[in-house]
């Protein structure tokens, strides 16, 4: 493999692992909260009254990172939240782009970018609630296709036979995934304010290994593991098993998304051309930012957020358009469970992003 191409792959492995560190915090945290509240959030009941879903979705969406969008995708699949709530979450989220704005390293940038972070989230949440209620009033609801439940032998756990795949998923792989997440936790938190753990070089390799191992874990689960349906299990470990599977799934798709987006931007288009696009007419930048933001995963939003903090006079309208258009990593589990809903959410988000972005631009609002 060519050295440059090899370095390109390594960089994306590392980036996906670093994002995985943030994703782990969100997913594990939300799953544990769900576990503690399992009596209120039973599988057969919606969460709260239907009228509250767009508000609830918007509030979940503004949580930094992609954990909330991933969980809401699962909630929608299980009919716990309305389509308006789902759309509101995806409109409101900044995905991992949140951490770009929150991660400035000098005092002046921290204050300025935190102000931008609050403004973008306020606009995104407001727009999310309005359009969330609108689609619920219209009655849009794209049901997930019925998936027949797997018939599982009752003797699965009582059997003395333990497969290699089971050991990988339920024991060795499970604890390794949690270990990777725990190791990256301090760095993920400190990086928000430009801090350092003191072992950054080691973290680079751990992040890359986290991505590689996540791919292995996902493939084994997808094609070899014959475990039982533990949706009714009430143990902490079973809850964390679901969380670890979601983490591995997200990291796999994040890596694919980053690899694709960065290949297009860095190799096919070229960084110089990309910078020219980002400094062209503000009306052009808004639509370009919305298109980039609408690409699956967080790579596009991260690119636009970086452009905002590095390119002088980058229009806030373009940043807001990208934030509304992005679906974060929650789009990946939604594609798996309901491709039609994923397509409609992405299309609606993109259209709304253009409307809001150009409205802000026409009104001349700047920071």
């Amino acid at each position: 493999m060519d050295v440059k191409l090899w370095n390109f792959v390594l960089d994306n492995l590392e980036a996906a692992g670093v994002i995985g560190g943030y994703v782990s915090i969100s997913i594990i945290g939300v799953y544990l909260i769900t576990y503690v509240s399992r009596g209120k959030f039973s599988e057969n009941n919606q969460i709260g009254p239907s009228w509250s879903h767009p508000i609830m979705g918007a509030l979940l969406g503004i949580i930094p990172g992609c954990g909330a969008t991933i969980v809401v995708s699962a909630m929608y699949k299980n009919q716990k939240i309305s389509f308006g709530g789902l759309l509101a979450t995806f409109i409101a989220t900044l995905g991992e782009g949140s951490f770009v704005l929150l991660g400035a390293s000098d005092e002046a940038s921290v204050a300025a970018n935190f102000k931008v972070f609050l403004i973008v989230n306020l606009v995104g949440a407001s727009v999310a609630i309005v359009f969330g209620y609108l689609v619920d009033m219209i009655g849009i609801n794209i049901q997930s296709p019925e998936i027949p439940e797997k018939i599982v032998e009752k003797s699965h756990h009582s059997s003395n036979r333990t497969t290699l795949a089971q050991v990988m998923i339920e024991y060795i792989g499970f604890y390794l995934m949690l270990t990777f997440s725990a190791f990256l936790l301090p760095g993920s938190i400190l990086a928000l304010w430009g801090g350092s753990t003191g072992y950054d070089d080691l973290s680079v390799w751990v992040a890359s290994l986290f991505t590689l191992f996540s791919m292995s874990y996902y493939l084994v689960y997808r094609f070899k593991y014959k475990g039982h349906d533990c949706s009714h299990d009430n143990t902490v470990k079973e809850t964390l098993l679901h969380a670890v599977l979601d983490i591995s799934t997200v990291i796999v798709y994040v890596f694919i998304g980053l690899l694709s987006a960065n290949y297009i931007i860095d190799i096919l288009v070229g960084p110089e051309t990309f910078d020219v696009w980002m400094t062209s007419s503000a009306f052009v930048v808004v639509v370009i930012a919305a298109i980039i933001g609408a690409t699956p995963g967080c790579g596009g939003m991260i690119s636009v957020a970086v452009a905002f903090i590095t390119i002088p006079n980058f229009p806030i309208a373009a940043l807001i358009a990208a934030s509304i258009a992005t679906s974060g990593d929650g789009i990946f589990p939604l594609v798996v469970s309901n491709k039609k809903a994923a397509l409609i959410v992405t299309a609606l988000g993109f259209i709304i992003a253009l409307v809001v972005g150009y409205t802000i631009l026409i009104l001349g609002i700047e920071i």
Side-chain angles (χ1 to χ4, degrees):
M1 182 182 292
D2 181 79
V3 174
K4 289 185 179 180
L5 182 58
W6 173 245
N7 289 335
F8 175 76
V9 173
L10 283 179
D11 287 344
N12 284 282
L13 284 171
E14 177 198 346
V18 170
I19 292 173
Y22 296 122
V23 169
S24 299
I25 298 172
S26 302
I27 292 180
I28 292 175
V30 172
Y31 265 98
L32 289 178
I33 292 172
T34 303
Y35 169 77
V36 172
S37 309
R38 62 191 182 280
K40 295 181 180 180
F41 302 136
S42 62
E43 185 173 350
N44 296 322
N45 298 323
Q46 282 193 338
I47 297 179
S50 297
W51 65 262
S52 68
H53 289 181
I55 297 174
M56 188 184 307
L59 293 177
L60 287 170
I62 63 176
I63 298 173
C66 292
T69 60
I70 294 165
V71 171
V72 171
S73 292
M75 289 165 57
Y76 184 72
K77 179 182 70 174
N78 294 324
Q79 300 180 32
K80 294 182 181 181
I81 196 167
S82 67
F83 186 78
L86 176 74
L87 179 64
T89 304
F90 279 44
I91 286 176
T93 189
L94 270 167
E96 307 303 338
S98 299
F99 301 119
V100 176
L101 296 178
L102 292 173
S105 58
D106 60 85
E107 188 175 344
S109 295
V110 168
N113 290 347
F114 185 67
K115 178 183 177 182
V116 171
F117 172 80
L118 292 178
I119 291 173
V120 173
N121 274 296
L122 178 61
V123 173
S126 301
V127 172
I129 292 171
V130 169
F131 283 94
Y133 275 118
L134 183 60
V135 298
D136 276 353
M137 288 174 59
I138 294 173
I140 298 176
N141 185 25
I142 300 93
Q143 295 292 335
S144 298
E146 292 292 331
I147 302 175
E149 295 186 5
K150 293 181 180 179
I151 300 175
V152 182
E153 296 289 341
K154 291 183 179 180
S155 60
H156 173 75
H157 282 286
S158 61
S159 172
N160 292 326
R161 182 184 177 186
T162 303
T163 65
L164 183 61
Q166 184 182 346
V167 171
M168 167 69 170
I169 297 300
E170 298 183 18
Y171 300 99
I172 297 176
F174 170 71
Y175 290 111
L176 270 176
M177 289 287 290
L178 292 179
T179 300
F180 280 126
S181 299
F183 182 89
L184 293 172
L185 175 62
S188 298
I189 295 174
L190 290 173
L192 298 181
W193 294 274
S196 173
T197 58
Y199 50 83
D200 292 344
D201 291 340
L202 180 58
S203 295
V204 169
W205 289 102
V206 172
S208 300
L209 289 173
F210 193 19
T211 303
L212 288 171
F213 191 78
S214 295
M215 290 190 284
S216 301
Y217 190 91
Y218 173 79
L219 291 173
V220 171
Y221 186 94
R222 180 71 175 80
F223 298 107
K224 292 293 183 182
Y225 181 62
K226 304 298 181 184
H228 72 306
D229 179 4
C230 50
S231 59
H232 299 290
D233 290 340
N234 292 318
T235 67
V236 174
K237 183 175 180 181
E238 294 293 355
T239 301
L240 290 176
L241 274 170
H242 284 293
V244 166
L245 174 61
D246 279 354
I247 291 168
S248 67
T249 303
V250 168
I251 291 176
V252 168
Y253 283 107
V254 166
F255 174 68
I256 294 172
L258 282 175
L259 198 67
S260 303
N262 289 333
Y263 180 79
I264 292 170
I265 293 171
D266 295 339
I267 296 177
L268 291 184
V269 175
E272 293 82 8
T273 303
F274 182 74
D275 287 344
V276 170
W277 288 355
M278 291 294 99
T279 54
S280 58
S281 165
F283 280 87
V284 175
V285 172
V286 168
V287 69
I288 292 174
I291 292 171
I292 294 173
T295 57
C298 289
M301 186 62 222
I302 290 171
S303 297
V304 175
V306 169
F308 177 81
I309 65 177
T310 58
I311 297 176
N313 301 318
F314 190 92
I316 186 69
L319 179 66
I320 291 174
S323 71
I324 292 175
T326 192
S327 299
D329 296 327
I331 196 67
F332 296 123
L334 186 61
V335 167
V336 173
S337 63
N338 194 328
K339 292 182 177 62
K340 185 177 179 180
L343 179 62
I344 292 176
V345 162
T346 301
L348 286 175
F350 178 71
I351 295 169
I352 295 167
L354 291 180
V355 172
V356 175
Y358 282 123
T359 299
I360 292 172
L361 198 61
I362 292 170
L363 292 175
I365 298 174
E366 290 292 345
I367 301 300

